[in-house]
């Protein structure tokens, strides 16, 4: 039997069937995880539904206080959660620029406490002799959260804490690749919440679809691929589920010729390779003006050649690609790019196994139609394209079905901001990329998603408006 168990209605629940969780650095089985049946899902949803009236009726400040307690509990178990993340996700504890597993757990704390302090005040639209009209924000009911493998715990916190803060109850399904940190987290905080308020079920095929089809789930919040996001949207029509979809990005960055290449290259590199490139809003397409193209390529190659990629437990700069399918995708996209005539400046071949290791790879002189440019590789590989006319760079940057983030880099921030505002994306950065924080809304345009996360705007996504009209005549 698995030492890891699901949490349903405040109880630890095993399953007759299990599935293996693979350590991506060794390809060995790290642990067995319970495989939920549809009956388990029904129990979890029923528990969440039963817990909803009392939880939603509690004063918001009480729910916020419990969420602060959850943050404290994460902090007390920080070291254990960091090790578990490295084991199942592959990321090193500290990692490149201090952005490894400890950074992720630090992020969970920041987002947890920020969500705890959010408010949903009643808005008064009118208050005169005729009527008082108020806008209230009401929780939706049961929220189904489907979380990915790139930031397993941080994204769980992004989904769950605003849902709970606004009075919903939750059923969460972590990625089958990285369920362990989430299960341990649920166990740690189980005593802090009333039974049924937060449930975790695990499975490796079909469970996400069953959640999306479930008539007693009122909203799905999903972070993952656009393809799966589209399926979720189709199925959500069964009971008009509300949706927040944070989907793939293929973020472009435009580097103007007036930059100080030596100064910006480390930032460009770090935001492209953040989490080994497995970040939805990482910089994934780099458009560089021809005057500084070779200088930028040289600077990036020097950085790439200075970092280490190895088993995350030895705390290198970067660990393995998280799973076999993703590793195969990165390898295939690199091979296709090479076959198309692109110039590989460094990396470009998988490292010897075991483990899904791919070196940091910089690719120059690559055609925009190559799959490595058209689609997100979601790995440690960056295509660098040349431009001579800034309007052409903008057109190429916007020529994508994705629209999560984008950036412009320049010595003149105002000029850069004007150009960045013309990028078709949810967040436009100037002289940085992939910077997010708990109080700034984050979400995609085009096929990168629906809705936003974080702060007041994110919180409101877990509510319906109720307009209260009090006649005075
Ligand atoms: P997916 O986007 O396919 O998501 C997998 C998750 O979705 C699993 O939990 C799965 O659960 C669930 N799921 C699958 N089908 C459905 C459905 N019809 N309805 C509801 N849930 C469903 O992830 P992959 O791991 O396959 O990654 C594919 C690509 O996604 C990556 O290459 C990367 O480009 C992108 N990605 C983006 C992320 C981001 O942060 N935006 C994060 C991770 C990946 P089950 O099988 O049990 O139903």
């Amino acid at each position: 039997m698995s030492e890891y168990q699901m949490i349903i209605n405040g109880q630890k629940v095993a399953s007759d069937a299990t599935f293996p969780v693979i350590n991506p650095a060794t390809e060995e089985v790290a642990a067995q995880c319970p495989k939920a049946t549809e009956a388990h899902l029904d129990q979890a949803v029923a528990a969440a539904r039963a817990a909803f009236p009392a939880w939603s009726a509690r004063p918001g400040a009480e729910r916020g206080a419990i969420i602060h307690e959850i943050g404290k509990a994460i902090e007390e178990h920080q070291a254990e959660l960091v090790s578990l993340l490295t084991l199942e996700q592959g990321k090193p504890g500290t990692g490149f620029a201090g952005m490894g597993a400890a950074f992720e757990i630090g992020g969970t704390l920041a987002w947890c406490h920020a969500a705890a302090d959010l408010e949903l005040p009643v808005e008064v639209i009118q208050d005169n002799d005729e009527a008082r009209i108020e806008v209230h924000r009401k929780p939706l009911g049961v929220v189904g959260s489907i979380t990915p493998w790139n930031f397993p715990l941080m994204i769980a916190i992004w989904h769950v804490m605003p849902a709970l803060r606004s009075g919903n109850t939750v059923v969460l399904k972590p990625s089958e690749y990285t369920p362990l940190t989430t299960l341990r987290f649920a166990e740690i905080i189980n005593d802090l919440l009333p039974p049924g308020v937060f449930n975790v079920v695990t499975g490796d095929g079909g469970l996400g679809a069953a959640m999306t089809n479930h008539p007693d789930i009122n909203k799905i919040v999903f972070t993952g691929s656009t393809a799966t996001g589209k399926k979720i949207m189709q199925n959500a029509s069964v009971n008009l589920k509300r949706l927040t979809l944070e989907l793939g990005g293929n973020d472009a960055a435009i580097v103007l010729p007036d930059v100080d290449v030596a100064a910006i290259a480390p930032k460009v590199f770090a935001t492209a390779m953040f989490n080994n490139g497995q970040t939805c809003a990482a910089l994934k397409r780099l458009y560089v003006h021809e005057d500084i193209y070779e200088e930028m390529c040289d600077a990036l190659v020097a950085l790439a050649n200075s970092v280490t990629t190895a088993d995350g437990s030895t705390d290198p700069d970067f660990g393995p690609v998280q799973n076999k399918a993703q590793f195969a995708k990165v390898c295939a996209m690199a091979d296709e790019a090479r076959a198309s005539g692109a110039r590989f400046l460094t990396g470009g071949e998988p490292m010897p196994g075991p483990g899904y290791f791919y070196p940091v790879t910089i690719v120059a002189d690559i055609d925009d139609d190559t799959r490595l440019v058209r689609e997100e590789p979601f790995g440690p590989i960056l295509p660098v394209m040349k431009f001579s006319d800034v309007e052409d760079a903008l057109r190429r940057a916007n020529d994508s079905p994705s629209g999560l983030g984008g950036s412009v880099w320049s010595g003149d921030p105002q000029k850069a901001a004007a150009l960045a505002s013309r990028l078709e994306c949810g967040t436009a950065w100037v002289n940085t990329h992939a910077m997010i924080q708990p109080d700034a809304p984050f979400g995609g345009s085009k096929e990168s998603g629906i809705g936003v996360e974080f702060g007041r705007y994110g919180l409101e996504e877990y509510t319906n408006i109720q307009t209260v009209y009090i006649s005075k005549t």
Side-chain angles (χ1 to χ4, degrees):
M1 200 217 290
S2 160
E3 62 180 290
Y4 290 90
Q5 296 188 13
M6 301 182 284
I7 298 284
I8 298 176
N9 202 21
Q11 302 295 312
K12 288 191 191 180
V13 175
S15 178
D16 291 341
T18 61
F19 64 93
V21 178
I22 305 297
N23 176 345
T26 61
E27 298 181 54
E28 288 168 0
V29 175
Q32 292 289 336
C33 192
K35 188 174 163 78
T37 59
E38 288 215 13
H40 286 125
L41 176 62
D42 286 341
Q43 287 161 19
V45 175
R49 169 89 25 225
F52 175 70
W55 180 248
S56 58
R58 282 174 93 141
E62 270 185 30
R63 294 194 299 263
I66 293 175
I67 294 171
H68 278 306
E69 291 302 313
I70 292 173
K72 285 184 203 150
I74 298 173
E75 200 165 0
E76 280 162 20
H77 292 82
Q78 209 159 348
E80 179 193 354
L81 293 169
V82 166
S83 301
L84 210 43
L85 258 185
T86 299
L87 177 74
E88 65 173 349
Q89 205 285 337
K91 63 180 77 182
T94 308
F96 182 75
M99 296 195 293
F103 174 85
E104 175 168 347
I105 300 300
T108 67
L109 294 174
W111 260 272
C112 208
H113 291 302
D117 286 336
L118 289 172
E119 302 280 354
L120 284 169
V122 172
E123 191 185 342
V124 179
I125 298 291
Q126 176 185 316
D127 193 8
N128 58 15
D129 292 345
E130 196 179 318
R132 179 178 167 91
I133 305 173
E134 300 171 345
V135 175
H136 294 238
R137 291 278 174 176
K138 313 284 276 188
L140 299 167
V142 178
V143 170
S145 151
I146 304 175
T147 53
W149 45 260
N150 54 344
F151 293 94
L153 193 60
M154 189 155 73
I155 292 177
I157 296 294
W158 291 356
H159 289 187
V160 173
M161 295 310 147
L164 296 182
R165 178 63 187 80
S166 47
N168 302 279
T169 55
V170 176
V171 176
L172 183 155
K173 189 203 98 68
S175 165
E176 65 272 30
Y177 294 121
T178 54
L180 306 180
T181 315
T182 309
L183 286 176
R184 179 67 185 120
F185 159 73
E187 190 182 13
I188 289 167
I189 68 157
N190 194 31
D191 290 344
L192 298 174
L193 290 163
V197 168
F198 175 51
N199 309 271
V200 180
V201 290
T202 46
D204 67 345
L207 197 54
M211 285 170 71
T212 316
N213 278 314
H214 204 292
D216 275 337
I217 292 182
N218 303 94
K219 172 182 174 115
I220 294 284
V221 49
F222 170 74
T223 303
S225 69
T226 296
T228 299
K230 287 179 180 177
K231 287 184 199 157
I232 289 174
M233 199 170 171
Q234 271 178 344
N235 290 347
S237 68
V238 65
N239 60 340
L240 287 185
K241 283 185 181 62
R242 280 24 176 194
L243 293 175
T244 301
L245 303 176
E246 204 271 87
L247 308 175
N250 197 9
D251 289 13
I254 299 174
V255 184
L256 301 181
D258 63 356
V259 295
D260 176 347
V261 170
I264 70 158
K267 256 177 141 179
V268 167
F269 182 82
T271 56
M273 297 304 161
F274 180 30
N275 205 36
N276 219 10
Q278 302 166 123
T279 304
C280 49
L283 191 169
K284 297 191 180 113
R285 294 179 289 148
L286 185 63
Y287 291 95
V288 181
H289 190 271
E290 59 186 357
D291 290 356
I292 52 162
Y293 184 79
E294 292 303 333
E295 190 187 354
M296 177 60 88
C297 286
D298 290 347
L300 293 173
V301 168
L303 286 158
N305 289 338
S306 73
V307 296
T308 51
T309 297
D311 186 332
S313 67
T314 64
D315 209 7
D317 290 308
F318 299 105
V321 173
Q322 200 285 319
N323 61 72
K324 195 174 186 174
Q326 195 60 41
F327 180 65
K329 191 169 163 184
V330 171
C331 294
M333 285 169 112
D335 291 348
E336 286 172 37
R338 190 182 296 99
S340 77
R343 184 162 55 108
F344 278 66
L345 302 179
T346 185
E349 292 289 350
M351 295 160 71
Y356 311 129
F357 293 105
Y358 204 91
V360 171
T361 298
I362 308 291
V363 185
D365 300 337
I366 178 167
D367 196 274
D368 279 10
D369 288 333
T370 314
R371 191 155 74 103
L372 182 57
V373 182
R374 300 291 318 161
E375 296 176 24
E376 61 168 355
F378 222 68
I381 179 164
L382 179 68
V384 188
M385 287 72 68
K386 194 184 291 179
F387 73 86
S388 52
D389 171 41
V390 73
E391 289 299 323
D392 182 50
L394 186 68
R395 181 193 59 73
R396 291 158 72 189
N398 284 336
D399 181 19
S400 168
S402 300
L404 192 55
S407 62
V408 177
W409 302 68
S410 167
D412 179 344
Q414 276 193 330
K415 182 174 75 177
L419 189 61
S421 72
R422 294 169 64 201
L423 287 167
E424 296 166 359
C425 56
T427 304
W429 289 282
V430 170
N431 290 334
T432 189
H433 203 109
M435 288 296 292
I436 54 170
Q437 60 186 54
D439 56 354
F442 173 69
S445 65
K446 300 199 276 188
E447 292 193 7
S448 285
I450 291 184
V452 293
E453 298 185 271
F454 312 159
R456 179 173 64 82
Y457 296 98
L459 192 69
E460 288 177 356
E461 301 258 342
Y462 292 90
T463 66
N464 271 328
I465 283 180
Q466 184 182 55
T467 305
V468 176
Y469 188 112
I470 305 160
S471 175
K472 295 190 185 173
T473 58

